[in-house]
Amino acid sequence: MVEHPAVPGSWIGYRLVSDLAAVRAFVTARAVALGLSRDRADLLTLAVNELATNTLQYTEQGGEVQLWTESGQVICDVLDQGPVLHFGAAMPPADAVRGRGLAIVELVCDQVAAFAGARGSIVRLQLVLA
């Protein structure tokens, strides 16, 4: 997979927990502006919030979120300096204290991929424009 070049207005950075509200607002507004329905934009926002929260819990540098459209889909990259994430795990049992974030991301997005990029690890989320 290839990193998408950041276009002005198509990305937002975050370093602190207090930045998450701005990230959520950006993702929702940008996804709707790109043609995603509000309901699907909310799902993307949930997924990005899970990933950005993980970034802030497990890395020290923060991260970046980029959104664009391509081939009838909204594509969202979440970049950080953590290890490449692995998806495909089952949802943890109801009594588990942690571990639902990545499973939620996979449930609400049409496609999810993780790979190493030139500037760190990338999780690519894709939602079909409907």
Side-chain angles (χ1 to χ4, degrees):
M1 298 208 137
V2 174
E3 277 188 72
H4 187 270
V7 175
S10 68
W11 66 277
I12 187 170
Y14 59 95
R15 292 189 53 83
L16 305 169
V17 171
S18 59
D19 295 335
L20 291 177
V23 169
R24 289 189 300 269
F26 167 80
V27 170
T28 301
R30 180 82 176 133
V32 168
L34 291 171
L36 208 57
S37 71
R38 178 59 194 237
D39 288 343
R40 301 219 353 115
D42 287 345
L43 293 175
L44 178 59
T45 300
L46 171 63
V48 170
N49 187 70
E50 290 294 332
L51 293 170
T53 299
N54 282 353
T55 296
L56 295 176
Q57 287 179 337
Y58 299 113
T59 74
E60 295 179 11
Q61 297 86 5
E64 182 179 300
V65 176
Q66 301 176 11
L67 280 92
W68 70 95
T69 58
E70 186 175 294
S71 303
Q73 300 180 83
V74 169
I75 301 174
C76 178
D77 281 356
V78 180
L79 298 87
D80 68 25
Q81 298 302 308
V84 174
L85 297 176
H86 298 283
F87 289 87
M91 185 69 72
D95 61 349
V97 176
R98 301 179 58 88
R100 288 177 185 76
L102 298 184
I104 288 170
V105 170
E106 284 190 288
L107 283 173
V108 303
C109 295
D110 296 327
Q111 291 184 353
V112 178
F115 57 97
R119 297 184 298 130
S121 298
I122 299 171
V123 175
R124 179 161 292 165
L125 311 173
Q126 295 177 247
L127 281 87
V128 174
L129 289 166

